[in-house]
Amino acid sequence: GGHHDGGARNDVGGGDRDIEEGDGAASSKRKERQKVLLVAKGEGMRLRPMTVTCFLQKPSPEVMKGTHHCTFGGDLSYKDGNDNGNDSSDINNTAQTEQECAWIDTGVVVFLPGAAEQLRALAGGALRCCTHRGLQAMYDKERANDDSGGDGIGGRGTMEEYAKNHTVKVELYTHLMLALSTAGNEAKLAKQDKRRQGRGLQAYVDEHTTSKVSSELLTEIYTRLSKLPFRAAAVPAGRFVHLGTTSELLDFLICGSCLGKLPSPEPRGGTLSTLEVDAGRKSLGQKIGLRSRFNSFALGVEPGDDDNVLLSSVLLSLDPAQAGRIGSGTVVEHSSLRCPHLVVGNNCLVSGIRGTSSASVVIPDGMCLQMMPLSSAWASPGGSEENGDSTAMPGVSSMNYVFVCLAVKDPIKAASTIYGIPVDCLLKLSRLTESDLWDDSIEKDKRMLWNARIHPVLECSSSGDPDDVILSLRPLQWITFLTSSDSIGGKDDGIVLSAEAQASLDLWRSLPRLSLSEVRNLADPEAEFAFRSSVNSAGVAVAKSSHLTTVRHIILGRKHLQTDFRYVVDSFVSASIEGDASEALSCLDDILLTAMKSGDLDIVGRAFMVIGDLLRALGSTFADGIEAQGRPLANEEQWRLCVGALRFSKHSSSNQDKTVEIAKKLVSLRDQALSTTLCRRLLYFLAANYEEAAFALTEVCVLSSAAAISSRRSSGFGTSNKAGSITTNTPLAAGTWAVATAPARVDLQGGWSDTPPISYE
């Protein structure tokens, strides 16, 4: 789709010839034809190819404005793309703009059978040096000539080296598509634009001949492809989402997974507003099922704002004294991390981080951090173990990883900033030189982030499981120091690195480092794919199962620890209770029934409280207004009867089965209610009933304790493990110390600390 309201898919060769010729670029005439492509609401949208008048490869605004019928202005009508034909409810149906616009190509090219046949002919002839099969045949032939004494490759060089020296860099958009027939009518083109007269084979060859692409090769390409008609399938109701930079990827993942409302419209100053761009991202995200929490598990991490995304990741921030944090506008993907304390800043992209860190992991705002395994082709200069960077241990398997660290907004094809800091300032603050960043053989005007060797390589050991490596981010700590606001707030020459940051920088400088261009060739995609598959298929599921086991031990063991279900709330989708929420409720049900059967009513009460708290938290995820007001809630009277029966029950061996059945009935009633359409009102209703059940069990425990005290006063001191069960013994002898424990009861603004909702987790 176009960047405003449409776009084109290219079709080359074949297809229906009986089509109306028209301008390939948008124009006032195109606005009329645009309506031809649209159909009545409710009937969907039919596409058909239209002949392309001309093809402009990366034209400047001046060239576009000077090309007949290329640009236009006016109304940009948006549709939601659904078959029902409804206009998008998120944005205004018509955006007024005074800026000139043009339809843009999606980059998707479809070669129909006739065109594909010509490409195969080229691949077997003039372009055989651009195919694997052709290069292999050329390589084998030259080796045979060498063996027979003819002119060969001299017995030197691998197939890969041969390919680098003999491959011709022919480009799809430049050499192939510009050779196609546009409009099939050069006379018409010449009348419209005198400058394009004579544009044919000779003009094509003259424009594209270089030292690496010969005129003979170009002639063969043009001769075969210029016979093919070039057409475009227009998509007038489409939207264009560009994912060319890390910032654009982050914006798409954040906006596309957002279930909330888009921000209020911004004033339009003649250009497309952020609101309209975000509407396109959101529309695409919803169509592909993008969610802010997908197959992920985070423990000990505050959910933060709604605008961060976790994809296929396990994050464990294990310090109970302080919760971890993931900032706003941040995406964490394909990671499996355990550390004491995790803090990821705002607007970050974190990918592939794996292992266990003994130190806290802190990633500053606006940073991109990716950890990737290196292939066996990597050989560190002098061996990384000599530099003190290795976490490998004797007798334990290890692997080399590169840590790619940049600011999200660093320009890859320039050398203006590194880590978001101007290069001159970075060199000044860190006392580094350009020779520390670039090889001296690279000319100064060709130095950019793409070829800057700034990404350290570490050898990390693993204890049997290749995914569970011993992780250390010490070589990157100096970057955190420099990117903090306090350390780089001005141009003070007196700013110096802290001792810890200086040690980190020294370690970074001592390590082997790679540039992005080298990482592309040395990364191990097979190992990375295996890691991501492991996290997807087993890692997340194992982490969740392990946590539920821990919750069971906490509640049944009466431990004063949190039962953290924030990950359930994070992953909850308002339309369904399936998934994490269902598994968590099933675990709590089993705990509740186990405690009920053993007579541990205090544990039953806590389980009721945790379930109620979880249901209320799930209800809070619904947007305001989604209340299903007026609809009667299922089995309201049965809920009241069951809770009342719990309150007036006396838990003894004679009626234990009865109270267990009451608990099972509550589970059945809840599941029946959750099988209906969910809304905040329903979940809050269920939560309130579980609160009442917890109150009822608290009353039973208190009354049982009172009965036990009364029994002890009349029959002597006794011992008891379960409410209502007293075993009398001979009173303790005088002078013998007895120790009794009980929960502290503190009145917090009118609510006792040992009763719901104050006593919630």
Side-chain angles (χ1 to χ4, degrees), residues 315-326:
L315 305 177
L316 305 180
S317 186
L318 302 176
D319 187 352
Q322 51 182 345
R325 177 182 175 273
I326 299 177

PDB file of all heavy atoms in Angstrom, residues 315-326:
ATOM      1  N   LEU A 315      11.867 -13.862  31.373  1.00  0.00           N
ATOM      2  CA  LEU A 315      12.623 -12.869  32.140  1.00  0.00           C
ATOM      3  C   LEU A 315      12.372 -13.098  33.619  1.00  0.00           C
ATOM      4  O   LEU A 315      11.233 -13.015  34.077  1.00  0.00           O
ATOM      5  CB  LEU A 315      12.209 -11.453  31.744  1.00  0.00           C
ATOM      6  CG  LEU A 315      12.303 -11.084  30.256  1.00  0.00           C
ATOM      7  CD1 LEU A 315      11.779  -9.679  30.026  1.00  0.00           C
ATOM      8  CD2 LEU A 315      13.730 -11.213  29.754  1.00  0.00           C
ATOM      9  N   LEU A 316      13.437 -13.378  34.369  1.00  0.00           N
ATOM     10  CA  LEU A 316      13.326 -13.620  35.802  1.00  0.00           C
ATOM     11  C   LEU A 316      14.190 -12.608  36.540  1.00  0.00           C
ATOM     12  O   LEU A 316      15.419 -12.664  36.489  1.00  0.00           O
ATOM     13  CB  LEU A 316      13.775 -15.048  36.146  1.00  0.00           C
ATOM     14  CG  LEU A 316      13.067 -16.191  35.393  1.00  0.00           C
ATOM     15  CD1 LEU A 316      13.634 -17.536  35.838  1.00  0.00           C
ATOM     16  CD2 LEU A 316      11.570 -16.138  35.608  1.00  0.00           C
ATOM     17  N   SER A 317      13.537 -11.657  37.207  1.00  0.00           N
ATOM     18  CA  SER A 317      14.223 -10.686  38.061  1.00  0.00           C
ATOM     19  C   SER A 317      14.009 -11.155  39.491  1.00  0.00           C
ATOM     20  O   SER A 317      12.915 -11.018  40.048  1.00  0.00           O
ATOM     21  CB  SER A 317      13.649  -9.279  37.838  1.00  0.00           C
ATOM     22  OG  SER A 317      14.375  -8.311  38.551  1.00  0.00           O
ATOM     23  N   LEU A 318      15.043 -11.726  40.120  1.00  0.00           N
ATOM     24  CA  LEU A 318      14.871 -12.589  41.287  1.00  0.00           C
ATOM     25  C   LEU A 318      15.012 -11.897  42.632  1.00  0.00           C
ATOM     26  O   LEU A 318      14.820 -12.542  43.662  1.00  0.00           O
ATOM     27  CB  LEU A 318      15.883 -13.748  41.201  1.00  0.00           C
ATOM     28  CG  LEU A 318      15.775 -14.600  39.927  1.00  0.00           C
ATOM     29  CD1 LEU A 318      16.881 -15.648  39.893  1.00  0.00           C
ATOM     30  CD2 LEU A 318      14.406 -15.248  39.835  1.00  0.00           C
ATOM     31  N   ASP A 319      15.340 -10.630  42.669  1.00  0.00           N
ATOM     32  CA  ASP A 319      15.496  -9.936  43.953  1.00  0.00           C
ATOM     33  C   ASP A 319      14.118  -9.603  44.516  1.00  0.00           C
ATOM     34  O   ASP A 319      13.397  -8.773  43.948  1.00  0.00           O
ATOM     35  CB  ASP A 319      16.302  -8.652  43.760  1.00  0.00           C
ATOM     36  CG  ASP A 319      16.638  -7.980  45.084  1.00  0.00           C
ATOM     37  OD1 ASP A 319      16.115  -8.428  46.126  1.00  0.00           O
ATOM     38  OD2 ASP A 319      17.426  -7.024  45.079  1.00  0.00           O
ATOM     39  N   PRO A 320      13.718 -10.228  45.649  1.00  0.00           N
ATOM     40  CA  PRO A 320      12.379  -9.947  46.180  1.00  0.00           C
ATOM     41  C   PRO A 320      12.244  -8.546  46.759  1.00  0.00           C
ATOM     42  O   PRO A 320      11.128  -8.058  46.966  1.00  0.00           O
ATOM     43  CB  PRO A 320      12.211 -11.017  47.267  1.00  0.00           C
ATOM     44  CG  PRO A 320      13.607 -11.343  47.696  1.00  0.00           C
ATOM     45  CD  PRO A 320      14.460 -11.210  46.468  1.00  0.00           C
ATOM     46  N   ALA A 321      13.374  -7.889  47.020  1.00  0.00           N
ATOM     47  CA  ALA A 321      13.319  -6.572  47.655  1.00  0.00           C
ATOM     48  C   ALA A 321      13.009  -5.455  46.668  1.00  0.00           C
ATOM     49  O   ALA A 321      12.586  -4.375  47.064  1.00  0.00           O
ATOM     50  CB  ALA A 321      14.646  -6.280  48.360  1.00  0.00           C
ATOM     51  N   GLN A 322      13.243  -5.695  45.375  1.00  0.00           N
ATOM     52  CA  GLN A 322      12.982  -4.644  44.396  1.00  0.00           C
ATOM     53  C   GLN A 322      12.541  -5.279  43.074  1.00  0.00           C
ATOM     54  O   GLN A 322      13.180  -6.193  42.565  1.00  0.00           O
ATOM     55  CB  GLN A 322      14.226  -3.767  44.166  1.00  0.00           C
ATOM     56  CG  GLN A 322      15.495  -4.548  43.865  1.00  0.00           C
ATOM     57  CD  GLN A 322      16.693  -3.643  43.692  1.00  0.00           C
ATOM     58  OE1 GLN A 322      16.554  -2.437  43.519  1.00  0.00           O
ATOM     59  NE2 GLN A 322      17.880  -4.218  43.740  1.00  0.00           N
ATOM     60  N   ALA A 323      11.446  -4.795  42.568  1.00  0.00           N
ATOM     61  CA  ALA A 323      10.894  -5.335  41.324  1.00  0.00           C
ATOM     62  C   ALA A 323      11.679  -4.823  40.131  1.00  0.00           C
ATOM     63  O   ALA A 323      12.173  -3.694  40.117  1.00  0.00           O
ATOM     64  CB  ALA A 323       9.419  -4.959  41.188  1.00  0.00           C
ATOM     65  N   GLY A 324      11.801  -5.671  39.113  1.00  0.00           N
ATOM     66  CA  GLY A 324      12.418  -5.245  37.872  1.00  0.00           C
ATOM     67  C   GLY A 324      11.474  -4.346  37.088  1.00  0.00           C
ATOM     68  O   GLY A 324      10.320  -4.134  37.452  1.00  0.00           O
ATOM     69  N   ARG A 325      11.970  -3.820  35.979  1.00  0.00           N
ATOM     70  CA  ARG A 325      11.160  -2.868  35.203  1.00  0.00           C
ATOM     71  C   ARG A 325      11.501  -2.965  33.730  1.00  0.00           C
ATOM     72  O   ARG A 325      12.669  -3.122  33.354  1.00  0.00           O
ATOM     73  CB  ARG A 325      11.424  -1.442  35.678  1.00  0.00           C
ATOM     74  CG  ARG A 325      10.681  -0.369  34.885  1.00  0.00           C
ATOM     75  CD  ARG A 325      11.010   1.027  35.375  1.00  0.00           C
ATOM     76  NE  ARG A 325      10.398   2.047  34.540  1.00  0.00           N
ATOM     77  CZ  ARG A 325      10.948   2.547  33.431  1.00  0.00           C
ATOM     78  NH1 ARG A 325      12.132   2.124  33.037  1.00  0.00           N
ATOM     79  NH2 ARG A 325      10.323   3.478  32.725  1.00  0.00           N
ATOM     80  N   ILE A 326      10.471  -2.896  32.899  1.00  0.00           N
ATOM     81  CA  ILE A 326      10.626  -2.772  31.451  1.00  0.00           C
ATOM     82  C   ILE A 326       9.967  -1.458  31.051  1.00  0.00           C
ATOM     83  O   ILE A 326       8.798  -1.228  31.329  1.00  0.00           O
ATOM     84  CB  ILE A 326       9.986  -3.952  30.705  1.00  0.00           C
ATOM     85  CG1 ILE A 326      10.665  -5.257  31.114  1.00  0.00           C
ATOM     86  CG2 ILE A 326      10.085  -3.758  29.198  1.00  0.00           C
ATOM     87  CD1 ILE A 326      10.053  -6.483  30.498  1.00  0.00           C
TER      88      ILE A 326
END
